Amino acid sequence: MLKSEKKLAELKKILTNGKYNEIHDRISILRVEEPFEGAIRLLAHHYDETNDEGLKLIISAFFNDMKERSGRAEVIELNISSRQPSSKAMLVSSCWQSGLDYSEFAISLAEEFMTGDYLTSLECFTVLENCSGSISANDRTIIILGLEKEMGGFDTARQKLAGELIALLKRDRSGHPNNCCRILRAAVVRMRCVNVHELRRPNTSSKYRSCSAS
């Protein structure tokens, strides 16, 4: 992305003090010109703060049309730091609507799936579904283990969605089990071995003797 303090200052001034038409026109220009550093962050913050639904739609359209791969990390970072659930859902939705590959950010998206509201979780599911074939086996394993650990605390709707996501991540595009399943099984075996080792380890505490006596 280009660095332009002048353009950034102009955009900030318009978003802060400009009238609706001025803001609309400036965002329209942003959609066709070469992006510059800081513009994405300013627009996301304005989406957070404005109550104007028309401006929210314009900003949302900007993110949906974004084709710059270099902007992906900033979108994910902004999603994590955003204060408003509606902003989080909009930013995640733009990930799949833009058509860009977000597979390298799969773990961050899965974390948002587990901590966001249902709409954000649904948008995260869509992004992960669209890029599932490109998510590494190691990342799939981490996500599956995390979902299986946390889904007991989800409501019914989120549990169902989590179950579908786990099933999706265990299979590749051809519908066959992928390498992450073998890694996942190995991880589970290691965890079981650790648990067995802990059970076999001598314990001389009074609590342990009391349990043994019972």
Side-chain angles (χ1 to χ4, degrees):
M1 288 189 182
L2 292 174
K3 287 186 178 182
S4 177
E5 295 297 331
K6 181 180 178 180
K7 285 188 175 183
L8 193 61
E10 289 174 350
L11 177 60
K12 185 175 182 178
K13 182 178 179 181
I14 290 174
L15 291 176
T16 303
N17 303 313
K19 296 179 180 179
Y20 178 90
N21 287 340
E22 292 176 311
I23 297 174
H24 178 283
D25 292 345
R26 188 65 188 94
I27 295 175
S28 297
I29 293 173
L30 282 174
R31 293 175 67 178
V32 297
E33 71 177 7
E34 188 172 357
F36 53 90
E37 286 186 9
I40 293 174
R41 185 175 299 276
L42 281 179
L43 289 176
H45 286 170
H46 194 71
Y47 188 98
D48 251 354
E49 295 169 358
T50 186
N51 293 319
D52 190 314
E53 293 300 323
L55 289 179
K56 282 181 178 287
L57 285 174
I58 296 168
I59 295 172
S60 176
F62 169 85
F63 279 98
N64 293 346
D65 289 346
M66 195 174 69
K67 303 301 180 186
E68 290 293 322
R69 287 175 56 86
S70 59
R72 295 174 303 162
E74 192 169 6
V75 170
I76 295 297
E77 180 187 341
L78 289 168
N79 177 63
I80 293 171
S81 63
S82 178
R83 301 187 301 271
Q84 302 294 336
S86 60
S87 297
K88 286 181 174 289
M90 181 277 290
L91 288 166
V92 177
S93 176
S94 76
C95 294
W96 65 265
Q97 295 202 60
S98 69
L100 295 173
D101 181 6
Y102 275 81
S103 57
E104 66 185 89
F105 305 98
I107 292 178
S108 294
L109 288 164
E111 289 172 351
E112 284 298 315
F113 176 98
M114 290 184 272
T115 58
D117 62 7
Y118 182 77
L119 181 56
T120 300
S121 295
L122 189 60
E123 297 291 0
C124 287
F125 177 94
T126 305
V127 181
L128 292 168
E129 180 182 33
N130 285 354
C131 66
S132 62
S134 302
I135 300 173
S136 70
N138 186 61
D139 284 357
R140 287 171 182 255
T141 302
I142 292 171
I143 294 169
I144 291 169
L145 290 173
L147 287 169
E148 291 178 337
K149 179 181 178 181
E150 299 294 335
M151 66 186 300
F154 297 162
D155 57 27
T156 303
R158 187 87 63 92
Q159 283 184 346
K160 182 177 180 181
L161 199 61
E164 292 178 6
L165 181 54
I166 289 171
L168 172 71
L169 293 172
K170 286 182 177 179
R171 310 184 76 83
D172 62 19
R173 287 180 177 176
S174 65
H176 296 98
N178 55 44
N179 190 46
C180 87
C181 295
R182 292 190 291 274
I183 296 176
L184 181 62
R185 284 195 293 269
V188 171
V189 169
R190 286 196 298 272
M191 290 170 64
R192 286 175 177 170
C193 289
V194 169
N195 289 338
V196 169
H197 178 71
E198 291 297 325
L199 288 172
R200 289 176 176 174
R201 180 182 297 172
N203 192 323
T204 58
S205 68
S206 59
K207 182 179 178 181
Y208 181 83
R209 289 197 299 272
S210 174
C211 292
S212 299
S214 61

